[in-house]
Amino acid sequence: MSDLTPLHPILGGWRTSGTVLDEHGAVSAEIAGTDTYTLLPGGTWIAHEVDVDMGGGQKAVAHELIGGENPDGGWNMFAFDESPTPGTMRLTLEEPGLLLLHGEGVRSWFRIDEDADHLSTCWERRTGDTWTRWMDLRFDRF
């Protein structure tokens, strides 16, 4: 699925806020920052810029590319941060307006709407065979 049209509602700038949860579901950190999604020339890739404070002075800054056909369906996601190798994930359109981000031991469901001024998502991580809530995020368009 190389056509990025279903992702166009996320294009633009978003003020990001939310919480990180510990293994018991208690808030362990507050998240604040920005996410920006830009359609690159040619319209076949989206650049995603992340700049958020994860609480306790921990900063997450990353550049991500979304596009191309993933062999398992959906789009490829390549994340570049301070790590020596890029992170890889897959983004799929599960139904109109419902996206699922798949990564190694993590996933995130979120709904997108053409006219949305805000989006929200819940990140989960796998512990053994169980998925547990990890982060709750809200994105407000700016």
Side-chain angles (χ1 to χ4, degrees):
M1 170 175 273
S2 60
D3 178 16
L4 296 174
T5 303
L7 302 181
H8 285 186
I10 67 171
L11 296 176
W14 301 88
R15 195 163 326 288
T16 308
S17 61
T19 55
V20 178
L21 307 173
D22 67 16
E23 63 274 3
H24 305 291
V27 173
S28 62
E30 298 286 331
I31 298 170
T34 59
D35 283 78
T36 306
Y37 296 86
T38 305
L39 190 63
L40 294 177
T44 58
W45 289 90
I46 292 174
H48 174 204
E49 302 294 333
V50 179
D51 187 355
V52 296
D53 179 355
M54 300 291 287
Q58 184 181 0
K59 189 92 165 153
V61 177
H63 176 81
E64 185 174 59
L65 295 174
I66 304 167
E69 289 189 38
N70 186 286
D72 294 325
W75 301 276
N76 294 304
M77 299 178 71
F78 302 101
F80 303 88
D81 57 16
E82 72 279 353
S83 302
T85 57
T88 58
M89 292 183 279
R90 178 170 62 109
L91 184 63
T92 56
L93 184 64
E94 297 297 302
E95 62 185 52
L98 179 63
L99 296 171
L100 174 59
L101 185 148
H102 314 254
E104 188 172 327
V106 297
R107 70 182 180 188
S108 177
W109 296 87
F110 57 102
R111 289 209 171 271
I112 57 174
D113 183 328
E114 190 70 42
D115 299 321
D117 288 330
H118 74 272
L119 306 170
S120 59
T121 184
C122 171
W123 281 83
E124 299 172 312
R125 59 179 151 189
R126 188 186 337 230
T127 306
D129 292 334
T130 305
W131 288 99
T132 57
R133 197 173 201 145
W134 173 34
M135 292 188 292
D136 289 321
L137 297 176
R138 177 180 168 111
F139 305 93
D140 291 290
R141 193 177 295 279
F142 63 82

